[in-house]
Amino acid sequence: MKALLLIDIQNDFVPGGALAVPEGDAIIPLVNALQPQFELVVATQDWHPGGHKSFASAHAGQAVFSTIELHGQPQVLWPDHCVQDTAGTELHPALDTRRIEAIFRKGMNPEIDSYSGFYDNGHLKSTGLAHYLRGKGVTQVYIAGLAADYCVYFTAKDALAEGFETVVLADATRAISEEGSAQATADIIRRGGQVLTSVEALAALQKA
């Protein structure tokens, strides 16, 4: 069984949001068109409490986008974003949510960030996504969303580590930086995943 994972397609990650990914909203028509091709569609949401330690505002004297060490992990200090119960956390209004069977929220522990849909950055706590997918009989995951070099990348790494066949849909993602995206793509392939266009991925599915 194959599942489509929609990563953090939220208001704060599109142009005009608090942590906008360039052209982040451009993926939405493609994501909507892809959903009927999959037996299961699942989404994630960044869902931070106010004062989250990944926010630059929580660290006096630290600049936005600087990097510190947090619980033994490198941590980029982001602008305040996806704060619980604000409009920025909401899934983008143009995203078709009718086929989304479950939403997994992440980043709720104020002490540690959670890029991946599966675990926090220190792998201290699971979101339950892997268990949920296995319970549905999923063996293959296809990943779309934001951003390609952070939350999509970390979700893909954890999906591979959990034993799922993993495909990142390159044209259904956008990155914060081209350099970061290239590094993420290379690492996903090195770990045994695939990075394909949606046309390539659907063609492969039809042959299977």
Side-chain angles (χ1 to χ4, degrees):
M1 185 174 177
K2 58 188 186 297
L4 178 64
L5 308 186
L6 305 181
I7 307 302
D8 297 1
I9 306 178
Q10 296 168 262
N11 289 332
D12 267 349
F13 293 130
V14 301
L19 183 50
V21 178
E23 299 182 349
D25 52 351
I27 68 171
I28 294 173
L30 176 57
V31 166
N32 288 343
L34 285 169
Q35 290 188 52
Q37 307 299 319
F38 291 87
E39 298 153 283
L40 177 68
V41 181
V42 175
T44 67
Q45 271 182 304
D46 241 15
W47 190 256
H48 296 307
H52 196 276
K53 292 294 179 64
S54 69
F55 297 166
S57 62
H59 303 272
Q62 293 285 354
V64 173
F65 301 122
S66 61
T67 301
I68 65 168
E69 185 175 295
L70 188 63
H71 300 291
Q73 302 289 326
Q75 175 64 58
V76 177
L77 296 179
W78 304 108
D80 289 24
H81 66 281
C82 295
V83 176
Q84 294 172 3
D85 293 321
T86 64
T89 62
E90 294 172 6
L91 296 176
H92 192 283
L95 180 67
D96 186 349
T97 60
R98 291 173 296 177
R99 291 182 54 83
I100 295 174
E101 188 166 312
I103 297 172
F104 287 80
R105 289 173 168 170
K106 58 192 183 67
M108 297 175 70
N109 181 342
E111 295 296 321
I112 191 164
D113 214 350
S114 185
Y115 296 151
S116 168
F118 290 92
Y119 292 96
D120 62 59
N121 289 3
H123 276 225
L124 303 176
K125 186 178 179 182
S126 166
T127 65
L129 176 56
H131 180 75
Y132 175 85
L133 293 174
R134 289 194 186 99
K136 294 288 185 179
V138 171
T139 56
Q140 299 172 301
V141 296
Y142 293 73
I143 304 174
L146 305 169
D149 42 350
Y150 281 94
C151 296
V152 168
Y153 168 52
F154 278 76
T155 298
K157 284 201 301 180
D158 282 345
L160 288 162
E162 289 290 330
F164 296 103
E165 295 178 39
T166 301
V167 179
V168 173
L169 300 169
D171 51 342
T173 70
R174 290 294 186 273
I176 291 176
S177 80
E178 290 185 12
E179 180 183 4
S181 180
Q183 291 173 351
T185 294
D187 193 46
I188 290 165
I189 293 169
R190 182 182 66 80
R191 293 170 183 267
Q194 297 183 76
V195 180
L196 304 174
T197 68
S198 55
V199 171
E200 291 169 335
L202 292 177
L205 285 172
Q206 289 167 2
K207 290 179 182 177

